[in-house]
């Protein structure tokens, strides 16, 4: 089982190097890593020189995760499974081995996508009122579910491998045929809010979406780029996103 990796990135060489080191330690020769870089061309040339023999580095002047991922997919046409990784992800040792073994065992069925387990993110917690909120369609009671309000159940720090209704945009392995037949047309902002839910949720009707417990990774946000009122921004966007999601 060989894997293809697509990493879209823009002007974050420190985060990119950190991810690549964690990936190169566990990737095998038949794997292929494609980095689509946008931003400072001098930075791109330095990275290309450093990783030339191990990574395919492409330059795209016009930034945007959707376009970057499409370009990466084109370079991995022969791969059955393609993994999207954001540059602020770090893979723990053996994460790729666990992912590869799972895909090898399950790839002949309805398996559509498998997310890495982000063990440093907040896990879904059950609450006393969880059942009531779930019944009213306000908040999901189970990890990985999406309520009628558009509120999502976390798929981070799972204690067991779970089937879910959505998967991560930047830490997931996809069956390549799905990516080719369902191009991601989600809008791209300075950060792509809920684009992973928009893309993956409709696909769960036909394909199984999984979060793999043993494929562990860290999501190391570049906090220095976040405004002080980050949490309130996320809360507001979640509220309005839920409204538009419910309309769909």
């Amino acid at each position: 089982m060989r894997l293809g990796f697509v990493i879209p990135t823009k002007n974050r060489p420190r985060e990119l190097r950190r991810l690549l080191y964690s990936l190169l330690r566990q990737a095998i020769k038949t794997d292929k890593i494609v980095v689509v870089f946008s931003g400072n061309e001098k930075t791109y040339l330095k990275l290309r020189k450093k990783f030339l023999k191990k990574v395919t580095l492409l330059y795209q002047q016009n930034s945007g995760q959707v376009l970057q991922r499409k370009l990466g997919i084109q370079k991995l046409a022969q791969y059955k499974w393609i993994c999207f990784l954001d540059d602020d992800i770090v893979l723990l040792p053996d994460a790729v081995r666990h992912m590869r073994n799972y895909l090898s065992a399950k790839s002949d069925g309805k398996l559509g996508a498998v997310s890495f387990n982000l063990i440093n993110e907040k896990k879904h917690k059950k609450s006393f009122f969880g059942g009531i909120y779930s019944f009213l369609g306000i908040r999901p009671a189970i990890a990985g579910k999406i309520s009628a309000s558009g509120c999502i159940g976390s798929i981070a720090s799972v204690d067991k491998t779970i089937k879910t209704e959505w998967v991560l945009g930047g830490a997931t392995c996809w069956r390549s045929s799905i990516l080719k037949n369902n191009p991601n047309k989600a809008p791209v902002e300075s950060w792509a809010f809920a684009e992973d839910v928009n893309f993956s949720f409709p696909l769960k009707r036909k394909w199984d979406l999984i979060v793999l417990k043993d494929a562990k990774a860290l999501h190391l946000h570049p906090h220095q780029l976040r405004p002080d009122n980050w949490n309130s921004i996320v809360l507001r966007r979640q509220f309005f996103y839920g409204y538009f999601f419910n309309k769909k």
Side-chain angles (χ1 to χ4, degrees), residues 35-136:
V35 174
V36 185
F37 186 95
S38 176
N40 188 289
E41 192 169 358
K42 290 183 178 179
T43 302
Y44 160 74
L45 292 173
K46 290 180 180 178
L47 289 167
R48 189 172 184 274
K49 183 178 180 180
K50 185 175 182 64
F51 293 101
L52 182 61
K53 296 182 179 181
K54 299 178 180 180
V55 175
T56 299
L57 256 116
L58 307 175
Y59 184 75
Q60 185 183 51
Q61 189 172 6
N62 298 318
S63 63
Q65 287 186 12
V66 173
L67 293 177
Q68 288 173 298
R69 287 174 178 172
K70 284 183 178 178
L71 182 56
I73 292 169
Q74 292 173 7
K75 297 296 181 179
L76 297 169
Q78 304 303 317
Y79 283 73
K80 185 176 181 178
W81 291 95
I82 296 176
C83 301
F84 290 151
L85 294 175
D86 285 348
D87 58 17
D88 54 4
I89 297 294
V90 173
L91 301 176
L92 270 62
D94 285 339
V96 173
R97 180 176 64 84
H98 286 295
M99 180 64 72
R100 186 183 290 108
N101 290 344
Y102 187 85
L103 294 176
S104 296
K106 304 288 186 178
S107 62
D108 292 334
K110 290 179 57 182
L111 185 62
V114 184
S115 277
F116 289 90
N117 183 14
L118 302 183
I119 61 173
N120 65 322
E121 295 279 16
K122 292 183 179 180
K123 66 185 301 182
H124 185 86
K125 292 184 179 180
K126 295 181 180 180
S127 67
F128 177 77
F129 296 104
I132 299 175
Y133 290 146
S134 177
F135 177 78
L136 296 174

Side-chain angles (χ1 to χ4, degrees), residues 9-247:
T9 183
K10 180 180 179 181
N11 287 335
R12 297 209 300 215
R14 180 179 300 179
E15 287 83 357
L16 178 60
R17 286 194 295 266
R18 183 180 61 195
L19 166 60
L20 288 176
Y21 288 138
S22 75
L23 180 54
L24 289 169
R25 291 190 189 102
Q26 46 194 307
I28 60 176
K29 290 183 179 180
T30 55
D31 293 338
K32 185 173 182 178
I33 303 169
V34 178
V35 174
V36 185
F37 186 95
S38 176
N40 188 289
E41 192 169 358
K42 290 183 178 179
T43 302
Y44 160 74
L45 292 173
K46 290 180 180 178
L47 289 167
R48 189 172 184 274
K49 183 178 180 180
K50 185 175 182 64
F51 293 101
L52 182 61
K53 296 182 179 181
K54 299 178 180 180
V55 175
T56 299
L57 256 116
L58 307 175
Y59 184 75
Q60 185 183 51
Q61 189 172 6
N62 298 318
S63 63
Q65 287 186 12
V66 173
L67 293 177
Q68 288 173 298
R69 287 174 178 172
K70 284 183 178 178
L71 182 56
I73 292 169
Q74 292 173 7
K75 297 296 181 179
L76 297 169
Q78 304 303 317
Y79 283 73
K80 185 176 181 178
W81 291 95
I82 296 176
C83 301
F84 290 151
L85 294 175
D86 285 348
D87 58 17
D88 54 4
I89 297 294
V90 173
L91 301 176
L92 270 62
D94 285 339
V96 173
R97 180 176 64 84
H98 286 295
M99 180 64 72
R100 186 183 290 108
N101 290 344
Y102 187 85
L103 294 176
S104 296
K106 304 288 186 178
S107 62
D108 292 334
K110 290 179 57 182
L111 185 62
V114 184
S115 277
F116 289 90
N117 183 14
L118 302 183
I119 61 173
N120 65 322
E121 295 279 16
K122 292 183 179 180
K123 66 185 301 182
H124 185 86
K125 292 184 179 180
K126 295 181 180 180
S127 67
F128 177 77
F129 296 104
I132 299 175
Y133 290 146
S134 177
F135 177 78
L136 296 174
I138 298 173
R139 185 182 302 165
I142 302 173
K145 297 295 182 180
I146 302 180
S147 64
S149 68
C151 184
I152 60 176
S154 172
I155 55 175
S157 301
V158 297
D159 298 323
K160 61 180 181 180
T161 296
I162 63 170
K163 183 178 177 181
T164 179
E165 292 187 338
W166 68 284
V167 287
L168 300 165
T172 294
C173 291
W174 282 93
R175 187 183 292 271
S176 61
S177 60
I178 296 177
L179 301 177
K180 295 169 185 175
N181 296 328
N182 299 274
N184 190 342
K185 298 179 180 179
V188 177
E189 309 174 45
S190 56
W191 55 288
F193 185 76
E195 53 88 20
D196 43 12
V197 179
N198 281 325
F199 180 66
S200 62
F201 178 73
L203 297 172
K204 63 95 177 177
R205 300 184 183 95
K206 181 178 179 181
W207 300 97
D208 290 340
L209 308 178
I210 300 295
V211 181
L212 184 58
K213 176 181 76 75
D214 293 325
K216 297 177 181 179
L218 303 175
H219 190 191
L220 304 178
H221 302 279
H223 292 284
Q224 70 275 13
L225 300 179
R226 292 181 168 185
D228 293 335
N229 61 335
W230 172 263
N231 289 331
S232 62
I233 290 174
V234 171
L235 185 62
R236 289 199 301 271
R237 291 205 180 193
Q238 179 70 65
F239 175 81
F240 287 110
Y241 171 74
Y243 171 75
F244 289 112
F245 180 85
N246 201 24
K247 286 178 65 178

